[in-house]
Amino acid sequence: MKSGNHSNTAEFLLLGLSENPELQPLLFCLFLSMYLVTVLGNLLIILAIIYDSHLHTPMYFFLSNLSFVDICFSSTTIPKMLVNIQTQSQAISYAGCLTQICFVLTFAGLENGILIMMAYDRFVAICHPLRYNVIMNPRLCGLLVLLSFLASVLDALLHTLMALRLSFCTDPKIPHFFCELAHILKLTCSDIFINNIFVYVVTSLLGVVPLSGIIFSYTRIVSSILKIPSAGGKYKAFSTCGSHLIVVSLFYGTGFGVYLSSSGTHSSRKSAIVSVIYTVVTPMMNPFIYSLRNKDMIGALRKLISRVPSLH
């Protein structure tokens, strides 16, 4: 492809997880199943929280928002992948690619923000239980989600607008199943020094700093739990944090794994495989992680399911 601006690049090619034709039907069935489980599981969590008044608390407010973000996050990447497999086409338009980048960054940033809020919620509940209702009031919870949304949208728009100035003079093949900013930057023949600086700064502000806050919160939480005299009290306190810790480990572990692997020169396929965990597997697993060990959530889901026949 000749050197030029983005108008010469009408589309990109998403190579997916494998170019083996024999694996495409298997990948289609696998990702379609995972997508349906993700949407259904998270939708059930949202409906259960809405219909059960006992779950109208800050913790479940954040959980319902997390489930909504997980549905949106998966819907940003998987449907396009399924369409490409079904139509045997790898193409995605230039505008479609930038739009996908924008939405992926928005929902990844929002999920990051909600996980921080959930950590803060557990910190206040365990370390300052008497002031919990005063501190974690509905107005503050709504404001935190709104601020996280605005910050995520601003970050995504800035990244996308900076990508608009890039020129592409190589074969526009992306070794991934969706458009990821890191791979777009590798394809360009423009100077990406400013883009890279911005990526490093944002990664520090929206990745390292929040993760440090979560670690600090859980350090205080563990310290407070160890002071509880009864073993039953310790178990109950730990059980309220266990699900969140698992999700945080999956999200940040794979997120930083993708970030580190994408900085390599010959690890694009590995990066794509790791990306599956935080874009597909984690949103699918969240409903199971938060419900299987939560008696309140299991009870709410049973009530919701029992109400379905009465709606007909």
Side-chain angles (χ1 to χ4, degrees):
M1 180 172 289
K2 294 181 181 180
S3 179
N5 59 28
H6 68 259
S7 62
N8 292 329
T9 306
E11 62 183 24
F12 293 94
L13 297 179
L14 296 173
L15 302 184
L17 297 174
S18 173
E19 296 182 72
N20 186 347
E22 296 179 356
L23 288 179
Q24 300 310 307
L26 176 62
L27 288 174
F28 180 85
C29 293
L30 177 62
F31 278 84
L32 177 61
S33 301
M34 294 172 75
Y35 179 63
L36 293 176
V37 170
T38 299
V39 173
L40 179 61
N42 283 289
L43 190 59
L44 283 174
I45 293 290
I46 295 171
L47 293 176
I49 293 173
I50 290 174
Y51 282 108
D52 194 330
S53 59
H54 295 96
L55 301 184
H56 292 177
T57 63
M59 181 176 75
Y60 292 107
F61 171 73
F62 293 134
L63 179 56
S64 63
N65 278 275
L66 181 66
S67 293
F68 175 73
V69 171
D70 283 336
I71 292 174
C72 296
F73 198 8
S74 298
S75 299
T76 303
T77 57
I78 301 179
K80 178 58 181 175
M81 176 189 183
L82 296 176
V83 169
N84 281 6
I85 293 176
Q86 189 66 20
T87 59
Q88 298 182 350
S89 170
Q90 297 176 323
I92 182 171
S93 67
Y94 178 82
C97 188
L98 290 184
T99 301
Q100 194 174 62
I101 288 174
C102 186
F103 279 110
V104 166
L105 291 175
T106 296
F107 293 123
L110 190 51
E111 178 146 355
N112 176 47
I114 292 174
L115 289 176
I116 298 165
M117 296 172 212
M118 295 176 80
Y120 180 67
D121 173 74
R122 292 300 83 203
F123 165 73
V124 176
I126 294 174
C127 299
H128 304 284
L130 299 179
R131 299 177 58 197
Y132 179 75
N133 291 328
V134 176
I135 297 174
M136 301 303 297
N137 59 76
R139 183 179 179 181
L140 176 64
C141 294
L143 183 61
L144 288 174
V145 173
L146 178 61
L147 289 175
S148 179
F149 173 74
L150 293 176
S152 300
V153 170
L154 178 62
D155 168 53
L157 287 176
L158 287 174
H159 276 299
T160 306
L161 290 174
M162 290 179 68
L164 281 171
R165 69 179 186 84
L166 300 177
S167 302
F168 300 94
C169 45
T170 59
D171 196 15
K173 293 181 178 180
I174 302 173
H176 215 307
F177 65 96
F178 68 94
C179 287
E180 195 174 51
L181 182 63
H183 290 285
I184 296 298
L185 294 180
K186 286 182 179 181
L187 291 176
T188 184
C189 54
S190 302
D191 183 9
I192 58 171
F193 177 76
I194 297 177
N195 296 74
N196 284 332
I197 292 296
F198 188 59
V199 168
Y200 294 142
V201 171
V202 170
T203 301
S204 299
L205 291 177
L206 301 182
V208 177
V209 173
L211 181 58
S212 301
I214 292 176
I215 293 172
F216 172 76
S217 295
Y218 274 101
T219 301
R220 296 290 301 276
I221 288 171
V222 171
S223 176
S224 297
I225 291 175
L226 292 177
K227 294 177 183 178
I228 299 175
S230 65
K234 290 179 181 178
Y235 175 78
K236 184 177 180 180
F238 271 121
S239 64
T240 62
C241 303
S243 300
H244 181 255
L245 277 174
I246 294 172
V247 173
V248 166
S249 300
L250 280 172
F251 183 76
Y252 281 100
T254 54
F256 281 114
V258 170
Y259 176 76
L260 294 174
S261 62
S262 63
S263 63
T265 54
H266 302 289
S267 55
S268 296
R269 191 66 69 180
K270 291 181 181 179
S271 173
I273 294 172
V274 175
S275 294
V276 172
I277 300 176
Y278 86 91
T279 58
V280 182
V281 176
T282 301
M284 181 186 70
M285 292 300 297
N286 282 354
F288 298 100
I289 294 172
Y290 279 107
S291 63
L292 292 179
R293 296 178 58 190
N294 189 318
K295 293 181 180 179
D296 293 333
M297 183 57 68
I298 292 175
L301 287 171
R302 285 175 178 170
K303 289 180 183 178
L304 177 66
I305 294 172
S306 65
R307 291 180 62 175
V308 173
S310 64
L311 295 177
H312 294 288

